[in-house]
Structures are given as C-alpha cells and as structure tokens.
Amino acid sequence: METLTNRFTLETPPGCFPLTTDSMALADFAAIRGGKAVLDLGSGCGTLGLLLCARNERCRVAGVELDKKAHTAALENIRRNRLDARMESICADMRRVPELFAPGSFDCCISNPPYFSGGYAARLASARREDACTLAQLMQCAAWALKYGGDFFLVHRPERLAEVIALGAENRLEAKRLRLLRHREGGPAALVLLQLRKGARPGLTLEEISLRRGDGSVTNDYRRIYHIPED
C-alpha cells in the first residue's frame, strides 16, 4: 500500500504495474487545474487518476484499462479513497475509445504508455509492451477524445521523442511543452514528458529537471514530485 499526498492511498496487486517515477513525474508535469474532465489511457490500477485527484479537488478522471486484474484494483482504489463521484475505471481495449466516448468529450488526456516494441519488447512485462496499442493508435485515441484546444500529457523514452512528436502532428496534436528528466545533474535524459495540444500552432518550450545532484543528494524537483518538504 502506497500513501500519496493528502492521505490518498494506492494499492497495486502483484503482477500489476507499480507506482514509479514515471507516473509521479507525469502527474507533476501535467498539473491539471480546475474542474477538467480527464481521460487516462491505459490507466492500470488508477495510479495517475489518484495522483491527479489528490492534487486537484475538482478534476474528474475516467480510466480505460484492458487488464482485468488492474481494473479490479482500480475500482477498489476508487472506493477506498471515496472517489466514486470523480473517478471511474472502464475495462476495455483503449483502441475502442471512439466507441466508448463521443469525439471531444475530454479537456485533457494523460498516459504512461508502453515504451517498447519489436523483438526486445518480448522479454518485458506486458505493461511495457505495445502489444495491445501502438504509439500511433494511442495518438489517434487521444486526438478523438480531446476537445479542440485540449491537452495530451504523456511520458516516454528519449529515443522515441521524434516519433512521438511526428505521430502527434499527424493527428493534429502539436507539441507545446517538453520536459527532460535526468536522474542526476549532468547525466543523460532518462525520460521525456510532453504536452501536446489539439489544433494548436507550432511553438515548443523546453524544460529540464534533475532528481539528484552530483553528490547524490535529492534536488527540490525531486522533493516537489514526491511531495517532500524542501530543506
């Protein structure tokens, strides 16, 4: 059982995707404010929805998750945190989003998607493989669900950044904000966090953060992401 901010809790059963830096960093990056309707694509045990609801008392999150065990865990996390009026989990293939929702139903989409495809991916857990939804299909689903001017927030691997931006552009999702996350100052980027906006004009801003200093001590970015008071 993980304790999140504002006393929310998250339970991830064995075999389900656990709470990771990827999700914590993505929730921090998104910083969704106000009564926004959010669609979590590949929502697992409801991790991102819980993180967003813990920070924002007004947002509403619908999650779409294919794995039945993770979906059941999400329902229990929603019940235990008394979020029934603000969160839901739908057990379905996310490629069915056009059947599940009318176009433009959401202000925002968010996703911590599978990172890997091809032969190497066969050795990884299913939550890390694009077996059930490719990156191209993910972009199509987000573009369908978002209203004009809505934002899609996602986290991915640096080596696939060009592909993410190109596929977004093909679906009228313009890259507007990019954050590079390094585990240690001066080290290589470990993750990229991207905000794409439906129907927006070109124009990209760049941010960089590091989780640890050269001496191994944690940075204020780390403290903010993990909700630890600053020194």
Side-chain angles (χ1 to χ4, degrees):
M1 183 81 71
E2 300 278 359
T3 301
L4 310 178
T5 186
N6 291 331
R7 298 183 179 179
F8 281 46
T9 58
L10 168 72
E11 185 172 7
T12 53
C16 293
F17 196 69
L19 180 65
T20 62
T21 295
D22 311 45
S23 295
M24 296 295 294
L26 180 56
D28 173 74
F29 177 72
I32 293 167
R33 297 177 176 85
K36 300 289 180 65
V38 183
L39 178 62
D40 183 358
L41 295 164
S43 51
C45 298
T47 302
L48 285 170
L50 289 173
L51 290 170
L52 294 179
C53 286
R55 296 166 58 105
N56 180 341
E57 295 180 354
R58 295 177 55 203
C59 72
R60 293 166 286 113
V61 183
V64 178
E65 173 55 43
L66 180 61
D67 183 82
K68 292 182 179 178
K69 185 176 182 180
H71 162 69
T72 300
L75 294 177
E76 176 57 23
N77 283 322
I78 291 168
R79 183 203 61 78
R80 189 178 58 257
N81 289 284
R82 301 181 181 179
L83 286 169
D84 304 79
R86 298 177 53 206
M87 273 188 73
E88 64 175 319
S89 180
I90 301 167
C91 191
D93 189 323
M94 77 171 74
R95 291 172 292 189
R96 291 185 53 217
V97 159
E99 303 171 29
L100 298 171
F101 307 104
S105 294
F106 293 89
D107 300 296
C108 304
C109 289
I110 195 166
S111 186
N112 180 3
Y115 293 159
F116 302 99
S117 61
Y120 170 74
R123 303 197 299 270
L124 302 174
S126 59
R128 283 301 192 191
R129 304 194 309 262
E130 291 186 1
D131 294 351
C133 186
T134 66
L135 185 54
Q137 291 168 329
L138 176 70
M139 290 293 177
Q140 291 164 7
C141 292
W144 173 273
L146 281 172
K147 69 178 186 181
Y148 187 84
D151 289 316
F152 182 27
F153 300 94
L154 78 159
V155 59
H156 223 290
R157 298 281 296 178
E159 59 267 27
R160 300 193 69 183
L161 176 60
E163 184 184 0
V164 171
I165 292 176
L167 288 171
E170 288 179 13
N171 290 277
R172 300 185 65 210
L173 298 173
E174 185 68 31
K176 299 298 294 179
R177 179 171 157 242
L178 169 65
R179 177 180 289 178
L180 305 180
L181 183 149
R182 307 178 194 279
H183 286 308
R184 189 179 292 265
E185 290 177 343
L191 296 171
V192 293
L193 300 113
L194 196 63
Q195 177 180 354
L196 304 103
R197 183 164 296 158
K198 185 174 179 178
R201 295 180 179 180
L204 179 66
T205 60
L206 176 63
E207 306 168 3
E208 296 187 43
I209 66 171
S210 300
L211 300 183
R212 294 186 179 275
R213 303 181 182 92
D215 63 4
S217 61
V218 299
T219 64
N220 285 336
D221 289 319
Y222 179 100
R223 291 178 177 276
R224 185 189 68 254
I225 288 170
Y226 284 96
H227 310 289
I228 301 170
E230 295 186 9
D231 292 331

